[in-house]
């Protein structure tokens, strides 16, 4: 008999943002540091006793560090600003820690720091504290960045992955899968030419408009980064114990992204976004929320893409263009292009 | 309108599905040979559009899935040799060998890269002249010509650190082996579209008369597949199995001669081991003598023990169409995409992965 007993090591697939990543976090990390605030597993913590304060942190290890439409600096600012925005908070200050591999051209560092500055300007926030470490060649891949952020929540805002309710509408803020396809197009060994650029952008301005239009109607927000829309919807369905149905025919996606995914054998629902959000809101507030989103530069392609139900809690399904229904699972393992 | 939209029109799809329902008076079982067809059948929900009389079985057309545990073990052994970088396609890195996988080998220090094409692997070899780059070459006639092209180019450019572990497979011999087995009743074959672009229609010519089974080449869009199934259903009802091309926009009778010549220049047919089918004569591709320098097996002869497939895993049965993924007791329980036991759960083209990802019948 042949029993396959894999060694207990961290795999690249643990970092893909899908179900393996969840398993690592839930079984290995939370085990040691579990507490009520952390266990909510929302994009930012809302601090107990300081209901108005949100706090989040994120590490960035993207390769290549400069990609079509952005770089690791812009990504690190937007990612943290967006995590704050996903609980309804506006950023008041960010930290920036750089781990630099020896040999990184200073010109590259300049480019990235200029992006940090520009993205902060767009989000209306400053880097208020920072740290820099240099490690010897091979101990990091050019540049790793960690940002943390503190944000303030307005009165009455209560947004969480666990608040989606049956009957709610699901709104997507714009066209999906652009960041992942843009990065993949720039990656060594996967060269294909495309004009697609990353959608990387700070979403706090868009969120401000949404909250102004429908503050208490918005129950859940998520930015579908690694693992894509499919993984975020699965997280919400399981955190809120609800069923989710989306409609393929209304999913916003650009033709060139759709074609690139088709060619590479990738399902756009699993490809990363860095400037999009999913909002789940009370049905009677859906029209106002959508109108507010469409009035903002980053939400002009927003669309209602599905509904929340009490059918089969934890499960996400999609009505296909063909009129049939298929299951949408969480991403498992790494996202790989097909071979035939 | 996007190019593919005209092949995904739901009204036309329903009309074809209704025609299939109307003409199917007796039970018919068709095999979709290719993993991409299995994937499309589930992703677009086409199985649910077919009448109860028409059932579909998956075949051995997933290159990752048919790669034997023993061959995976050989690739892992090569990846652990000093000075070697292993490059491979897509999800082969995750397929369990008997004690490890390329993914685990990478996590414990082996240099394993995922590439999109053989030419990318060759470029990696050129960029890193101090390492020996071994491409684990899996795939069918679709992939073989590009691997052959990379070898010809390596020869011309005198790239001496580029090698290929050829686990390439040929479609026609295994199709015949499967039909000769007669294990399950097959009333028609949905033939692989991409493979046929290269091979043309000739490989299927003898099958209808020899085995009484129709062969219809299909594309991968919903309307392509439904149209091909309609033709199979018509042939089956009329009792007139035949070869037909339902993918005319890509497949010609003669196929791609340039690609065929390139493949024949570098490789010759040899016996190959298939998961689920064992050794099949002439179903593999080995290096011709003038290209022996590029053959990873000449340079590295990894000694690996004979391997058994994982206990309880029915990937072999799934690949012969003798069971559906849901018939395996490991499916969705012990075997999931996070913890795959067999390759059919790993590969995006694998039948188990497709049923796991898309099927709402649970």
């Amino acid at each position: 008999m042949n029993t396959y007993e894999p060694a207990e090591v961290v795999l690249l697939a643990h970092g893909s943002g899908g179900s393996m990543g969840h398993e690592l976090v839930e079984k290995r990390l939370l085990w040691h540091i579990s507490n009520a605030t952390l266990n909510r597993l929302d994009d930012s913590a809302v601090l107990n006793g300081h209901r108005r304060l949100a706090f989040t942190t994120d590490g960035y290890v993207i390769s290549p560090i400069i990609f079509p439409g952005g770089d690791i600096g812009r990504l690190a600012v937007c990612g943290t600003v967006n995590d704050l925005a996903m609980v309804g908070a506006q950023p008041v200050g960010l930290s920036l820690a750089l781990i630099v591999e020896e040999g990184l051209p200073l010109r590259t560092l300049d480019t990235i720091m200029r992006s940090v500055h520009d993205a902060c300007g767009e989000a209306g926030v400053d880097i208020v504290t920072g740290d820099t470490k240099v490690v010897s060649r091979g101990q990091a891949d050019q540049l790793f960045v960690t940002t943390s952020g503190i944000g303030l929540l307005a009165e009455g805002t209560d947004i969480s992955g666990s608040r989606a309710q049956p009957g709610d509408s699901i709104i997507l803020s714009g066209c999906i899968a652009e960041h992942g396809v843009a990065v993949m197009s720039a990656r060594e060994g996967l060269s294909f030419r495309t004009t697609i650029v990353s959608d990387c952008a700070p979403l706090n301005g868009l969120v401000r408009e949404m909250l102004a239009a429908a503050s208490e109607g918005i129950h859940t927000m998520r930015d579908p980064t690694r693992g894509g829309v499919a993984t975020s919807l699965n997280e919400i369905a399981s955190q809120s114990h609800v069923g989710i149905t989306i409609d393929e025919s209304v999913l916003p996606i650009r033709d060139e992204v759709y074609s690139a995914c088709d060619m590479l054998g990738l399902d756009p629902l699993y490809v990363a976004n860095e400037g999009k959000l999913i909002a789940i809101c009370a049905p009677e507030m859906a029209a106002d929320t959508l109108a507010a989103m469409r009035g903002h530069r980053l939400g002009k392609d927003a669309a209602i893409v599905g509904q929340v139900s009490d059918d089969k809690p934890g499960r996400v399904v999609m009505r296909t263009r063909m009129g049939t229904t298929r299951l949408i699972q969480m991403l498992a393992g790494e996202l790989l292009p097909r071979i035939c | 309108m996007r190019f593919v939209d005209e092949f995904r029109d739901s009204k036309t799809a329903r009309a074809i599905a209704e025609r299939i329902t109307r003409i199917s008076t007796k039970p018919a079982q068709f095999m979709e040979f290719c993993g991409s067809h299995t994937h499309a059948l589930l992703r677009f929900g086409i199985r649910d559009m077919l009448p109860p009389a028409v059932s579909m079985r998956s075949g051995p057309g997933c290159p990752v899935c048919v790669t034997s545990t023993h061959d995976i073990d050989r690739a892992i052994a090569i990846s652990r040799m000093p000075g070697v970088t292993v490059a491979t396609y897509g999800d082969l890195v995750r397929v369990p060998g008997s004690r490890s996988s390329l993914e685990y080998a990478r996590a414990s220090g082996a240099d394993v890269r995922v590439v999109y094409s053989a030419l990318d692997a060759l470029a990696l070899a050129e960029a890193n002249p101090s390492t020996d780059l071994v491409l684990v070459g899996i795939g069918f006639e679709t992939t073989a010509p590009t691997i052959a092209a990379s070898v010809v180019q390596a020869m011309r450019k005198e790239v001496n650190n580029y090698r290929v572990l050829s686990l390439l497979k040929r479609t026609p011999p295994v199709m015949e082996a499967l039909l000769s087995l007669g294990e399950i009743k097959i009333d028609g074959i949905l033939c692989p579209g991409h493979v046929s672009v290269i091979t043309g229609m000739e490989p299927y010519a003898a099958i209808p008369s020899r085995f009484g089974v129709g062969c219809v080449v299909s594309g991968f869009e919903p309307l392509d597949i439904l149209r091909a199934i309609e033709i199979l259903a018509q042939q089956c009802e009329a009792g007139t199995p035949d070869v037909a091309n339902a993918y005319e926009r890509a497949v010609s009778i003669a196929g791609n001669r340039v690609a065929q010549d390139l493949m024949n220049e570098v490789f010759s047919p040899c016996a190959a081991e298939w998961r689920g089918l064992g050794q099949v004569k002439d179903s593999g591709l080995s290096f011709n003598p003038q290209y022996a320098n590029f053959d990873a097996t000449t340079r590295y002869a990894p000694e690996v023990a004979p391997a058994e497939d994982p206990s309880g895993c029915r990937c072999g049965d799934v690949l012969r169409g003798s069971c559906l993924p849901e018939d395996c007791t490991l499916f969705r329980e012990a075997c999931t995409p996070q913890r795959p036991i067999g390759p059919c759960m790993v590969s995006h083209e694998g039948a188990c992965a497709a049923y796991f990802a898309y099927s709402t019948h649970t």
Side-chain angles (χ1 to χ4, degrees):
Chain A
M1 185 181 123
N2 172 358
T3 319
Y4 180 60
E5 283 293 342
E8 295 229 303
V9 292
V10 174
L11 300 177
L12 258 188
H14 281 118
S16 65
S19 50
M20 288 183 69
H22 277 260
E23 203 178 279
L24 182 76
V25 168
E26 281 160 26
K27 293 197 176 150
R28 295 285 173 164
L29 308 184
L30 285 185
W31 174 260
H32 298 282
I33 54 172
S34 163
N35 62 65
T37 310
L38 183 60
N39 292 356
R40 285 169 66 110
L41 294 180
D42 283 327
D43 286 336
S44 288
V46 174
L47 297 181
N48 261 336
H50 313 271
R51 283 288 299 177
R52 319 269 44 87
L53 218 51
F55 183 37
T56 188
T57 188
D58 216 334
Y60 299 85
V61 295
I62 191 164
S63 168
I65 56 174
I66 297 174
F67 48 83
D71 57 39
I72 193 169
R74 181 174 179 80
L75 190 64
V77 171
C78 297
T80 288
V81 165
N82 292 349
D83 278 351
L84 292 172
M86 291 310 104
V87 296
Q90 289 298 321
V92 293
L94 302 185
S95 75
L96 176 78
L98 305 176
I99 295 175
V100 189
E101 185 189 21
E102 73 170 319
L104 182 78
L106 286 169
R107 228 169 55 187
T108 307
L109 199 57
D110 276 340
T111 304
I112 286 161
M113 290 310 292
R114 200 176 319 123
S115 292
V116 167
H117 170 267
D118 293 349
C120 282
E122 285 171 51
V125 68
D126 289 324
I127 303 289
V128 295
T129 183
D131 182 47
T132 308
K133 297 281 190 299
V134 178
V135 297
S136 50
R137 201 176 275 274
Q139 293 195 322
D141 183 6
Q142 293 187 282
L143 178 64
F144 295 158
V145 181
T146 299
T147 48
S148 298
I150 290 180
L152 286 176
L153 286 95
E155 197 68 48
T157 308
D158 183 11
I159 295 170
S160 166
S162 55
R163 286 200 64 222
Q165 290 157 32
D168 282 359
S169 298
I170 301 170
I171 308 175
L172 197 54
S173 70
C175 296
I176 61 169
E178 289 164 13
H179 176 74
V181 170
V183 170
M184 221 170 272
S185 74
R187 200 165 273 180
E188 184 192 10
L190 268 181
S191 51
F192 69 97
R193 263 179 244 281
T194 163
T195 54
I196 300 160
V197 298
S198 167
D199 59 347
C200 186
L203 293 167
N204 58 314
L206 174 64
V207 169
R208 189 186 296 121
E209 299 300 317
M210 292 165 65
L211 291 175
S215 162
E216 280 162 34
I218 298 174
H219 297 151
T220 299
M221 284 194 285
R222 271 288 145 90
D223 55 337
T225 56
R226 289 168 316 157
V229 169
T231 301
S232 290
L233 289 176
N234 270 282
E235 287 168 356
I236 295 166
S238 94
Q239 272 179 272
S240 295
H241 308 288
V242 292
I244 284 178
T245 304
I246 56 169
D247 201 331
E248 185 177 23
S249 61
V250 295
L251 278 179
I253 178 165
R254 281 186 221 294
D255 287 357
E256 56 268 43
V257 175
Y258 189 83
S259 303
C261 288
D262 234 35
M263 188 185 85
L264 289 169
L266 301 174
D267 186 335
L269 282 172
Y270 293 89
V271 178
N273 310 274
E274 289 292 345
K276 298 294 163 357
L277 65 82
I278 297 166
I280 297 188
C281 67
E284 66 275 13
M285 301 303 282
D288 288 351
T289 310
L290 187 65
M293 291 170 82
R294 286 185 173 163
H296 191 277
R297 181 176 62 88
L298 295 173
K300 60 180 173 22
D301 298 320
I304 295 177
V305 298
Q307 303 79 38
V308 178
S309 73
D310 52 9
D311 185 37
K312 302 236 164 66
R315 198 162 97 150
V316 181
V317 296
M318 179 164 83
R319 277 190 299 272
T320 70
R321 256 172 238 280
M322 313 291 299
T324 54
T325 301
R326 70 141 151 126
L327 194 62
I328 304 287
Q329 294 269 19
M330 197 177 266
L331 175 70
E334 286 174 89
L335 204 56
L336 300 166
R338 67 156 166 240
I339 59 162
C340 77
Chain B
M1 189 168 110
R2 296 186 279 244
F3 169 66
V4 293
D5 285 350
E6 60 181 297
F7 302 105
R8 294 182 183 177
D9 178 64
S10 64
K11 270 199 199 123
T12 317
R14 298 226 163 271
I16 304 175
E18 275 162 30
R19 290 206 299 268
I20 296 172
T21 306
R22 234 179 5 250
I23 56 178
S24 302
T25 61
K26 56 186 185 199
Q29 180 156 270
F30 304 132
M31 172 174 277
E32 80 275 7
F33 186 88
C34 178
S36 297
H37 280 147
T38 306
H39 190 82
L41 279 164
L42 283 133
R43 179 175 169 205
F44 296 109
I46 300 169
R47 289 177 66 92
D48 294 341
M49 300 174 84
L50 297 175
V54 174
S55 61
M56 302 296 300
R57 284 289 167 126
S58 305
C62 158
V64 169
C65 307
V66 296
T67 303
S68 70
T69 304
H70 183 241
D71 282 337
I72 303 278
D73 286 348
R74 287 166 67 212
I76 295 167
I78 291 175
S79 80
R80 291 194 166 130
M81 291 178 177
V84 170
T85 297
V86 159
T88 191
Y89 298 139
D91 15 45
L92 192 75
V93 289
R94 300 199 64 220
V95 176
S98 53
R99 270 178 301 279
S100 186
S101 66
L102 284 169
E103 182 181 43
Y104 278 100
R106 177 173 65 191
S108 57
D111 190 359
V112 178
R113 314 282 184 94
V114 170
V115 290
Y116 185 55
S117 85
L119 293 177
D120 292 338
L122 178 61
L124 266 179
E126 288 182 82
N128 302 284
S130 60
T131 64
D132 223 24
L133 191 121
V134 178
L135 173 68
V136 179
I138 57 166
F140 298 115
E141 290 90 337
T142 28
T143 324
T146 61
I147 292 185
S150 76
V151 169
V152 169
Q153 218 177 91
M155 175 99 117
R156 191 166 48 77
K157 291 174 154 178
E158 297 178 11
V159 182
N160 298 317
N161 63 326
Y162 178 63
R163 270 160 258 288
V164 176
L165 177 67
S166 172
L167 305 177
L168 293 164
K169 307 270 192 292
R170 296 176 65 232
T171 314
V174 82
M175 205 174 266
E176 290 180 21
L178 193 71
L179 290 167
S180 304
L181 212 59
E183 186 181 19
I184 59 161
K185 180 173 163 290
I186 299 175
D187 300 299
I189 297 181
L190 198 71
C191 294
H194 295 154
V195 163
S196 306
V197 169
I198 307 293
T199 63
M201 304 293 291
E202 192 279 325
Y204 311 116
I207 290 179
S209 57
R210 226 180 113 196
F211 298 100
V213 168
C215 288
V216 180
V217 173
S218 170
F220 298 90
E221 294 300 327
L223 296 192
D224 292 327
I225 294 175
L226 282 163
R227 222 186 111 218
I229 294 174
E230 184 187 10
I231 299 171
L232 283 172
Q234 283 164 343
Q235 291 182 1
C236 190
E237 283 292 324
T240 53
D242 202 354
V243 175
N245 183 3
Y247 195 22
E248 302 97 326
R249 69 178 184 282
V251 174
S252 65
I253 292 175
N256 183 335
R257 285 269 162 76
V258 176
Q260 291 168 18
D261 290 346
L262 203 51
M263 197 156 58
N264 296 334
E265 161 71 17
V266 178
F267 300 113
S268 292
C270 67
E273 193 182 342
W274 294 65
R275 188 182 299 261
L277 284 152
Q279 289 277 331
V280 178
K281 193 170 160 258
D282 291 338
S283 70
L285 287 171
S286 65
F287 277 88
N288 289 331
Q290 66 271 35
Y291 293 98
N293 275 344
F294 298 98
D295 184 352
T297 56
T298 338
R299 174 138 182 147
Y300 305 103
E303 287 289 319
V304 295
E308 285 171 43
D309 290 339
S311 148
C313 171
R314 296 193 65 188
C315 278
D317 297 337
V318 170
L319 290 166
R320 291 194 312 278
S322 82
C323 80
L324 288 175
E326 289 147 340
D327 299 329
C328 175
T329 51
L330 304 181
F331 179 76
R332 223 189 272 277
E333 302 296 326
C335 184
T336 64
Q338 291 93 287
R339 295 256 179 284
I341 291 174
C344 299
M345 186 58 93
V346 176
S347 174
H348 284 85
E349 313 295 317
C352 299
Y355 277 75
F356 183 95
Y358 302 128
S359 175
T360 51
H361 296 203
T362 44

